[in-house]
Every structure is written in C-alpha cells, then in structure tokens.
Amino acid sequence: MTAAAPTDADLLAAHASGDPHAFSELVRRHRDRMWAVALRTLRDPEEAADALQDAFISAFRAAANFRAESQVTTWLHRIVVNACLDRVRRKQARPTVPLPETGVHEPATPRDSMADRETRLVIKEALAQLPEDQRMPIVLVDVEGYSVHETAKMLGIAEGTVKSRCARGRAKLAKVLGHLRNPDAAANVPTSESKRERDGRSGAQREREGR
C-alpha cells in the first residue's frame, strides 16, 4: 500500500526539523504558481526571478516560525508579495500586473485574439496609473482571488484599509476602462461637426416654417 504524500505543512515541519529534501519538494510543488505571482507583480522576468529567489530564501530561513495559522501556500504567497514590494520600493518603480486571459475586467462581449491583446494592454496601462497602495490590493483580491482577510495579512494592513483601497482603485479603473463595457458609447457622442450640421438643418427648417 502506497503511503499518502506529505502535506505542505508536513514538508515545512520536516524541513524545520532538518530534513534536507523537504524544502526542495515544497519548492517543486509551488514554484510555478509563485513565479506567476512574481512575474505578474513586477512584469520584468529578471526582477521576478530575483524576487522569487529572495522569497524562497526567506521562506527557507523562516520555516521554523510557521504557526499553521494559514495555509502554507498563503504563507508562501505573502513572502513572495513582500519580496516583490521590497524590490518596488528599492527601485521606486511602479510596476503593472497583466490580467489573465479571462477575469473580472474582461469585456462582456466576445472579441477576437487581436482585440483581446489590445484590451489587456489597455488594462495594463490603466493599472499602471493606480498608486501602488491601491494596485496591490486589487491585484491580490480581483486577480489572484484572495479574500480581504488574506490580503490584509499579506500586506500588513487592516481589512478596512484593503476594502477602501480596492474601492478607490476600482472607481478609477471604471472611469478609464468604461469603454470596454460599453464600446458603442463613444460612437453615440455627437462630434462638434455633426452638432453644427444638425443645428444648421434645424435652423433652415424653422425658416421654412416661418418661425
């Protein structure tokens, strides 16, 4: 009978107890997802790779401090996010995070692949306009799917702060990205030329009617 595979918590505990292979297995399980988080946050593959390495080194050293108050994946995610934020602060950069192929900000109507790429570019540029303190909660909650509680723990802020920052960020995104939800809106806005032409026709009609 095959023994059950150790859980993430088992591996972390084994590593803290001196098992030389346990942490490598933990990294193997979660490296791809953590890499995606770092790349989505920093947008630069080299920066993401360095941040991920820093994060795993931190996790390696901090394993003994894990108290199982959250899942190991959440704990790792928090460390990766913090490593990315450290790099952002050091470089005083303002990275953006591309959304996945489908997500909460995708347009409601089907688009072809070229339109999808253009849409993601517009979204990236919109996210770039947000202050860092609003962008990170939105990325974690709306893109990564973490709860407000988990996001608050990752960023070290209050849950109410997460909610308010997300609300402010979403309001700004809604203004910038509103045309994605209603692409015909711009077409319905009269131009100055069409308005002058319409007014001219109305004036001529009034003269014919003797008004």
Side-chain angles (χ1 to χ4, degrees):
M1 183 176 178
T2 304
T7 65
D8 291 342
D10 292 338
L11 289 172
L12 203 58
H15 163 66
S17 298
D19 186 327
H21 306 294
F23 194 78
S24 296
E25 172 60 20
L26 194 65
V27 169
R28 185 194 65 78
R29 288 184 182 182
H30 302 292
R31 179 178 52 230
D32 289 347
R33 182 180 180 185
M34 295 302 120
W35 161 252
V37 170
L39 185 60
R40 189 176 289 127
T41 304
L42 295 174
R43 202 174 46 160
D44 183 323
E46 292 186 6
E47 284 290 311
D50 289 342
L52 189 61
Q53 181 177 353
D54 292 344
F56 280 135
I57 290 174
S58 296
F60 184 93
R61 294 172 175 170
N65 298 325
F66 180 70
R67 293 291 179 263
E69 296 174 353
S70 61
Q71 294 184 351
V72 173
T73 52
T74 302
W75 178 75
L76 284 174
H77 199 153
R78 184 186 310 130
I79 293 175
V80 171
V81 168
N82 285 336
C84 291
L85 289 175
D86 285 343
R87 288 194 164 269
V88 170
R89 295 186 187 105
R90 285 201 296 268
K91 289 182 172 292
Q92 295 184 341
R94 302 188 67 176
T96 60
V97 184
L99 295 180
E101 293 292 328
T102 57
V104 294
H105 296 302
E106 285 293 301
T109 57
R111 305 290 185 93
D112 57 31
S113 58
M114 179 62 73
D116 286 341
R117 287 194 292 271
E118 292 176 352
T119 296
R120 289 195 295 274
L121 180 60
V122 170
I123 292 171
K124 287 169 60 178
E125 293 174 348
L127 283 169
Q129 298 175 31
L130 294 180
E132 178 187 323
D133 65 341
Q134 294 174 15
R135 182 171 57 252
M136 287 308 302
I138 285 179
V139 169
L140 291 172
V141 174
D142 291 343
V143 180
E144 293 296 321
Y146 280 89
S147 68
V148 170
H149 176 70
E150 290 170 328
T151 299
K153 292 184 66 176
M154 288 180 193
L155 299 179
I157 57 180
E159 292 183 26
T161 303
V162 172
K163 292 179 181 178
S164 62
R165 290 180 180 179
C166 282
R168 290 198 299 271
R170 288 167 185 154
K172 293 177 182 177
L173 288 177
K175 293 180 180 179
V176 177
L177 302 176
H179 64 285
L180 296 181
R181 290 292 183 185
N182 188 10
D184 296 328
N188 294 330
V189 177
T191 62
S192 57
E193 183 177 350
S194 64
K195 185 176 186 300
R196 286 195 300 270
E197 183 178 345
R198 186 170 60 252
D199 291 345
R201 288 197 301 268
S202 299
Q205 183 178 359
R206 286 195 297 271
E207 289 179 3
R208 288 196 300 269
E209 295 174 352
R211 295 179 184 176

